[in-house]
Amino acid sequence: MNSVSTIVKNETKCYHCGEDCLEGKLTYDEHSFCCNGCKTVYEILSSNDLCDYYSMENTPGFTVKDKAEHSIFDYLDNESIKREVLDFEGEGFQKVTLYIPNVHCSSCIWLLENLDRLNPAVLDSVINFSSKKLTVNYKSDEMSLRQLAEMLDSIGYGPQINLKDADESKKPQKAFDKQLLIKMGIAGFCFGNVMLLSFPDYLGIAGVEEEYSSFFRYLSLVLSLPVVFYSGSEYFTSALKSAKQKFANIDVPIAIGLLALFVRSTYEVIADVGPGYFDSLVGLVFFLLIGKWFQSKTYAALSFDRDYQSYFPLAVQKRINDAFAPVPVKELKKGDEVLLRNGEVLPADAILIDDHASIDYSFVTGESVPVARKKGDYVYAGGRQVGKQVRFVIQKEVSQSYLTQLWNNDAFGEKEHHTKLIDKVSRYFTVVVLLIALFSAVYWQFTDPSQTWLVFTAVLIIACPCALALSTPFTVGSVMRVFGRNHFYLKNADVIEKLNATNTIVFDKTGTITETQGEALKFCGPALSEAEKALINTAVASSTHPLSRWIKQFTEVKGFDYTIESFDEKEGKGFIAIVSGLTIKVGSAKFLGVEKSNINNATQVHVSIGDDYKGYFSFEATYRKGLTNLLDALKSKFKFQVLSGDNDKEAERLESMFPEGSVLRFNQSPEDKLKAIKEIQTKGNAVIMLGDGLNDAGALQQSKVGIAITEDVSLFSPASDAILKASNLMDLNKFIKLAHEGRKVVVASFILSLLYNCVGISLAVAGELTPLFAAILMPLSSISVVVFTTVSVNLISKKIKLK
């Protein structure tokens, strides 16, 4: 007699990934798992006290079957490949950004931002949920890049690394677009067929056999299944996650409407009481997806984030023939030779070709102690040169997004958090819409039950606040593009809102409201020899101060080949350089320990070579043309102050230019300027600070809006909220006006969107609007808001004479 073995399949859900445990039962800590991989991940998390991961979402993990072997990451041990992947590598420290496709919920975010608890070699980790990018700082002497990738893979979050794609940031968007098009195709195919199958019910054609009519209805039901549960699945997923977080997002009313229409239609077909509303249902999903596709394409075309990065105002000195000249960083190619002066940032990975350099990586690591580099060393982008000018050969093309990441580095602080109006509006708007839909359904159930479900779903669809949600980003994006065209570059969109909340403007003097003209410069003292001019010229070449630039032009001579050996700049005072063995000191009279000349009111820069004091360069202050007109245009809304590091000999002249009541402060050190801004703020004032980005870094950072003024956009200043080209300073009143008008456009678009919703809801409640027409009108309302905001901002910018 043959024995028969019966295998009882355990259909318990895996505690980690949620898959059915069909291959036998694996248990640990009284939990069931579908495979050893999921069980291992749980053991890892449990042993590191990370089981809060499971409390945020039910079965949040991914199945990790067949992932015990990590040889797929062997290539990360290769130095050349590792260099391509890493963002930065320092002494015992590495930083990398990895694309993690499996991120999908709050549990994922929580776990990936607690990697330091899995391995203490991880210093910190931050996940960008929208782009699915994980940035990890870790100790490279305790963990390799390969080990990091293996650790992520072992917990179900294996990184996707594609060295062929130079712009990884686009990969998630490409995948999303492809999936959306597939969903649209399925929805469109089913919509067309369901409409054909519904013709007998539309036209009431006689003679159609009853069994065929019933067959067509069931076929419509079958065709609706992939549309609702695949093409429309994103709305249900979003609504469920929103419900878990106890927050009603804009997808909640759509999901409820779709579900209500599907349940009602299915009931009518199965109970044989009607044809249902499958034509409206699949058409609704189809038009919703068309609207989403159009909005995503339009938003990509108007993306203010990408646009302002393309305008990013960083230039660098590049060797062209036998001389260095400033070029935009986006034009740099591998193999180009660049020259970095004191305080300038290396915009791309490069190899040092001078003997040595000191690199400050505080932008990347937060560590302000400069790192020594020698000839031939590979130097990562983001390092600021400290000391003498040095030369590099570029090894990678510039990543604009990486430079933007430095500018937005959290180490330089969000000064305040702005709660977006749309976040509040969407929450309460959704709740109100749900209540209106429910009360309408109850009313029609007693008045005309055949209209109940149509009215209920039409209200939910027509009231979708998509147009409301698009009004702010499109308005702000359009404003930022206008700013960029006029050489005013904002750190982020919040700066526009901050501009609207200010009432005091503080100006630095030298290099901000003044411009030093070559003909206004002269040397006071014994005539300098050609050799002395060459020594001074070599010394000032490493300085980025506006006055150094003019001294360099004044002392330009040929036939000398001096070498700068060291360079030490003291902010607000001057610098000491060693040139071919001689010490050159350039700066204020106090810095050099000499008496300041009182012959004229000019700005003075004193010079000594070795132990010999040579004299000083005299700069007649030339104020920028149009300054008085700018102040007149702004004085009705702003109070003014001037913070100058020079003496008060310009006081009388400035008093005549600035409106009555303006405060002028002189002999201000960088620390004094910072204290002055704090003092102004303690009196309840919101400050816009304009400085040259050199001695004003602290004041710029402390201000509500710090604007760095630069002549040749060759400096990178993370301390500022915006960078303004000096030649466009006189347009400041126009920029502020456009920011104010932009806010009005946002309010107007809100009103337009709300009016649309009020009219649409009224028609839907009255039973005059079907769900299908609601689905068509919804994307049209969004398009109208996009067109309104974009056209309005462009018209306003032309009216106030901005390009």
Side-chain angles (χ1 to χ4, degrees), residues 177-191:
D177 285 343
K178 183 178 179 181
Q179 188 178 33
L180 179 59
L181 289 174
I182 292 172
K183 290 181 177 180
M184 284 174 56
I186 292 174
F189 170 80
C190 294
F191 175 52

Side-chain angles (χ1 to χ4, degrees), residues 72-308:
I72 57 170
F73 295 111
D74 285 351
Y75 65 92
L76 293 178
D77 287 332
N78 183 289
E79 286 299 320
S80 61
I81 293 177
K82 184 170 68 173
R83 184 173 289 174
E84 289 291 320
V85 176
L86 289 175
D87 294 335
F88 173 78
E89 182 176 16
E91 297 294 334
F93 168 87
Q94 289 178 349
K95 177 180 180 180
V96 67
T97 300
L98 300 169
Y99 175 53
I100 311 293
N102 282 351
V103 176
H104 73 292
C105 67
S106 56
S107 290
C108 303
I109 297 172
W110 182 86
L111 178 58
L112 291 172
E113 293 194 343
N114 282 276
L115 293 178
D116 56 316
R117 293 168 62 181
L118 273 177
N119 192 320
V122 176
L123 299 173
D124 62 78
S125 52
V126 178
I127 183 73
N128 183 320
F129 183 74
S130 60
S131 64
K132 299 188 177 182
K133 285 192 172 184
L134 175 70
T135 300
V136 184
N137 295 307
Y138 60 96
K139 301 175 184 176
S140 56
D141 51 357
E142 298 180 19
M143 169 185 274
S144 67
L145 179 60
R146 174 186 173 180
Q147 289 171 334
L148 173 63
E150 290 175 350
M151 180 183 75
L152 290 168
D153 192 53
S154 69
I155 58 174
Y157 294 95
Q160 179 179 318
I161 301 171
N162 184 356
L163 298 177
K164 293 181 181 179
D165 191 351
D167 188 4
E168 294 185 16
S169 62
K170 294 181 181 178
K171 289 189 291 187
Q173 184 65 35
K174 288 179 182 176
F176 171 79
D177 285 343
K178 183 178 179 181
Q179 188 178 33
L180 179 59
L181 289 174
I182 292 172
K183 290 181 177 180
M184 284 174 56
I186 292 174
F189 170 80
C190 294
F191 175 52
N193 283 280
V194 170
M195 290 291 288
L196 287 173
L197 295 172
S198 301
F199 271 130
D201 292 309
Y202 290 151
L203 304 176
I205 298 174
V208 177
E209 295 294 335
E210 186 64 28
E211 59 267 25
Y212 289 117
S213 176
S214 178
F215 173 72
F216 288 164
R217 290 175 182 179
Y218 273 98
L219 190 55
S220 295
L221 169 59
V222 172
L223 287 170
S224 72
L225 293 175
V227 176
V228 174
F229 296 106
Y230 175 67
S231 297
S233 60
E234 188 174 326
Y235 296 104
F236 295 108
T237 303
S238 175
L240 284 172
K241 290 180 179 179
S242 173
K244 288 181 180 179
Q245 299 298 325
K246 299 180 180 179
F247 179 87
N249 65 14
I250 61 176
D251 289 332
V252 169
I254 297 177
I256 294 176
L258 292 175
L259 188 62
L261 203 55
F262 177 75
V263 171
R264 174 64 184 183
S265 300
T266 302
Y267 164 76
E268 287 195 8
V269 171
I270 294 176
D272 199 22
V273 296
Y277 308 100
F278 293 114
D279 51 345
S280 296
L281 176 62
V282 294
L284 170 61
V285 175
F286 181 52
F287 285 109
L288 283 173
L289 293 174
I290 289 177
K292 178 174 286 192
W293 175 80
F294 181 84
Q295 290 165 9
S296 66
K297 295 292 287 184
T298 308
Y299 191 79
L302 297 177
S303 172
F304 57 83
D305 183 55
R306 188 182 67 247
D307 286 347
Y308 104 83

Side-chain angles (χ1 to χ4, degrees), residues 312-349:
F312 201 85
L314 181 63
V316 70
Q317 297 286 326
K318 172 187 169 183
R319 181 181 287 280
I320 301 176
N321 298 324
D322 294 328
F324 286 94
V327 298
V329 293
K330 63 183 179 182
E331 296 180 7
L332 290 178
K333 304 294 182 184
K334 183 177 180 180
D336 286 346
E337 182 180 335
V338 298
L339 179 74
L340 251 63
R341 299 167 292 183
N342 180 57
E344 291 184 332
V345 171
L346 183 63
D349 293 358

Side-chain angles (χ1 to χ4, degrees), residues 592-704:
L592 269 70
V594 298
E595 287 291 326
K596 185 170 184 177
S597 172
N598 295 317
I599 297 176
N600 54 43
N601 295 334
T603 298
Q604 298 174 10
V605 177
H606 296 257
V607 180
S608 68
I609 300 177
D611 295 329
D612 297 329
Y613 172 71
K614 295 298 181 181
Y616 61 90
F617 292 94
S618 174
F619 297 84
E620 291 289 342
T622 304
Y623 292 93
R624 298 189 186 276
K625 295 178 182 179
L627 178 61
T628 303
N629 293 334
L630 174 64
L631 296 174
D632 288 340
L634 292 170
K635 67 181 181 181
S636 61
K637 296 181 180 178
F638 293 92
K639 296 174 282 187
F640 302 109
Q641 289 204 26
V642 174
L643 300 177
S644 174
D646 296 332
N647 58 48
D648 60 359
K649 290 185 178 179
E650 286 287 312
E652 186 175 339
R653 188 175 175 188
L654 284 170
E655 285 174 356
S656 66
M657 299 174 66
F658 277 78
E660 185 177 350
S662 300
V663 178
L664 310 178
R665 308 189 194 198
F666 298 92
N667 298 308
Q668 298 288 297
S669 68
E671 294 77 15
D672 293 333
K673 292 181 179 182
L674 175 58
K675 291 178 182 177
I677 297 297
K678 290 181 178 179
E679 178 188 324
I680 297 169
Q681 291 173 328
T682 56
K683 297 178 181 178
N685 296 304
V687 179
I688 297 175
M689 170 70 190
L690 293 101
D692 61 11
L694 297 169
N695 306 328
D696 309 303
L700 289 168
Q701 175 65 10
Q702 180 62 34
S703 304
K704 191 174 190 70

